[in-house]
Amino acid sequence: MDMQNQGIVKPKTQRAKRALETKAPKLVENTKSALFIRGGHTSETVTQALKDLSVFKKPEAVVLRRKNILRPFEDATSVEFLGQKSDCSLFVFGSHSKKRPHNLVIGRMYDFHVLDMVELGIENFTSLSSFKSGSCALGSKPCLVFAGDQFETEVEFIRLKNIFIDFFRGQELKKLALDGVDHVITFTAAEGRVYFRVFQVILKKSGCKTPRVELEEMGPRLDLVMRRSHLSSDSLLKQACKKPAAVKPKKVKNVSRDSFGSKLGRVHMKRQDFTQLQTRKMKGLKRTKPHSSTRNKDGPHTTKRAKLDSTASS
């Protein structure tokens, strides 16, 4: 069968082969990159918001300099094409119009097809340059804090929380130094809005081994209002989150962990014969012979006094 009909591209050079291998599915996927797109008409607020958000995603951030006339909710093929071309599974699209002023669309893709996207409007914005505190280090890990009942009860906010975690968590690590967490991102949901705040973590001397932690707002500051959403079905989301069997840890029999994380084991043993159990050689623990079932006529139950009475009567 022709490979072009199947949609498979055969590389002609080693460089093209390595590029296709990086985009191919893997057991452990690479860190997700984000694509920042400016629409045909943008405001200064949207442009600066895209620039500030890309700071927290570097080095996994691709910023398009040119404007792109797109409408993700009407036709998502252009966004999917740009995501596949840049090898990005996350995207942020900024636009501005009279009907939807200062508009941001944040979403993610699965197999280079739009999985989820949420449209948010910027009501209040303070840029990163307006704050005096320093910026975060390149490649540092954020501490994500979500506050508000809507993140636990409403479907749109639950999915939005999942998108934010997918967007800002960065590289997955097994161990992390305390100095590697230098900023905190908080999301507060209240009355249909999401309040986005970023704080810098300052470690100060406390007189003991554990330092004293202080937070200082470093920006940007955004007040976002929920407008539209395009959410995938539960079956498609389950398929996108499915892990391959080779990655899942093998289950060890008879080993479990309690609520405190302690490792517990179960040992199976045969029934023991306690008659053969070796004990200390003490007089009280000396084994006795079992009693016989048949008794003699002048057995142990016959007393000496009874014998004397029988001789006297004769």
Side-chain angles (χ1 to χ4, degrees):
M1 187 178 293
D2 190 9
M3 298 182 67
Q4 293 182 356
N5 295 334
Q6 290 182 326
I8 301 174
V9 180
K10 186 177 180 180
K12 296 182 180 180
T13 60
Q14 290 296 326
R15 183 179 179 182
K17 184 179 179 180
R18 290 192 298 268
L20 290 177
E21 287 178 353
T22 56
K23 294 184 179 181
K26 305 177 182 63
L27 290 177
V28 180
E29 293 290 344
N30 303 329
T31 305
K32 294 183 178 181
S33 300
L35 183 65
F36 294 85
I37 311 169
R38 285 197 304 164
H41 299 280
T42 57
S43 62
E44 186 179 354
T45 300
V46 172
T47 304
Q48 190 62 38
L50 291 174
K51 187 182 297 185
D52 291 351
L53 291 176
S54 64
V55 172
F56 300 99
K57 194 58 184 173
K58 290 180 179 180
E60 291 84 20
V62 178
V63 181
L64 299 183
R65 302 300 178 184
R66 296 183 178 180
K67 295 183 178 181
N68 297 270
I69 302 175
L70 305 176
R71 292 181 179 179
F73 280 87
E74 282 74 19
D75 186 11
T77 55
S78 299
V79 177
E80 295 170 355
F81 170 77
L82 294 174
Q84 186 174 8
K85 184 179 179 180
S86 305
D87 193 19
C88 297
S89 56
L90 303 168
F91 68 92
V92 181
F93 174 75
S95 62
H96 175 71
S97 63
K98 186 177 180 180
K99 186 178 181 181
R100 293 184 176 86
H102 312 304
N103 201 46
L104 283 180
V105 178
I106 180 171
R108 54 185 173 178
M109 290 180 278
Y110 167 64
D111 196 17
F112 296 113
H113 293 284
V114 173
L115 182 69
D116 299 321
M117 58 181 173
V118 179
E119 187 178 65
L120 303 170
I122 303 175
E123 289 189 341
N124 297 314
F125 173 72
T126 306
S127 64
L128 187 63
S129 59
S130 301
F131 294 87
K132 297 181 180 179
S133 57
S135 61
C136 61
L138 185 66
S140 61
K141 297 283 288 184
C143 177
L144 304 180
V145 179
F146 292 89
D149 296 336
Q150 289 180 301
F151 282 129
E152 304 295 334
T153 56
E154 298 185 15
V155 178
E156 290 183 346
F157 281 86
I158 292 173
R159 194 66 62 89
L160 180 61
K161 175 184 175 181
N162 193 263
I163 293 174
F164 279 141
I165 293 174
D166 217 8
F167 194 90
F168 289 103
R169 68 176 179 179
Q171 186 179 0
E172 295 185 9
L173 302 174
K174 294 182 179 179
K175 294 182 179 181
L176 181 65
L178 185 60
D179 296 336
V181 183
D182 60 354
H183 62 287
V184 178
I185 304 177
T186 63
F187 304 90
T188 305
E191 298 178 356
R193 289 172 174 78
V194 177
Y195 299 95
F196 180 93
R197 302 290 185 270
V198 184
F199 299 90
Q200 184 183 12
V201 178
I202 302 174
L203 303 178
K204 294 187 176 182
K205 294 182 179 180
S206 61
C208 59
K209 188 176 181 181
T210 304
R212 183 166 58 92
V213 179
E214 291 185 0
L215 299 179
E216 184 179 353
E217 190 172 2
M218 59 176 288
R221 182 191 301 169
L222 292 93
D223 295 348
L224 305 171
V225 59
M226 181 79 72
R227 287 178 178 169
R228 288 186 295 178
S229 63
H230 171 77
L231 306 180
S232 63
S233 60
D234 294 337
S235 59
L236 183 59
L237 183 64
K238 185 178 180 181
Q239 182 181 355
C241 298
K242 186 178 180 180
K243 292 184 178 180
V247 179
K248 295 180 180 179
K250 295 183 179 180
K251 186 177 180 180
V252 182
K253 293 183 178 180
N254 303 322
V255 176
S256 60
R257 292 185 180 274
D258 58 6
S259 58
F260 300 100
S262 302
K263 194 173 183 180
L264 306 176
R266 180 180 295 177
V267 181
H268 296 274
M269 298 178 62
K270 295 182 180 180
R271 185 180 293 275
Q272 294 181 342
D273 186 6
F274 294 103
T275 60
Q276 304 297 328
L277 185 66
Q278 180 66 36
T279 59
R280 292 184 64 185
K281 295 181 179 181
M282 297 173 60
K283 190 173 182 180
L285 299 176
K286 189 176 181 181
R287 297 191 182 103
T288 57
K289 295 181 179 180
H291 297 287
S292 59
S293 58
T294 57
R295 296 181 178 180
N296 298 327
K297 186 175 181 180
D298 295 333
H301 63 280
T302 306
T303 60
K304 187 174 181 180
R305 185 176 180 181
K307 290 183 180 180
L308 293 176
D309 292 341
S310 61
T311 53
S313 60
S314 60

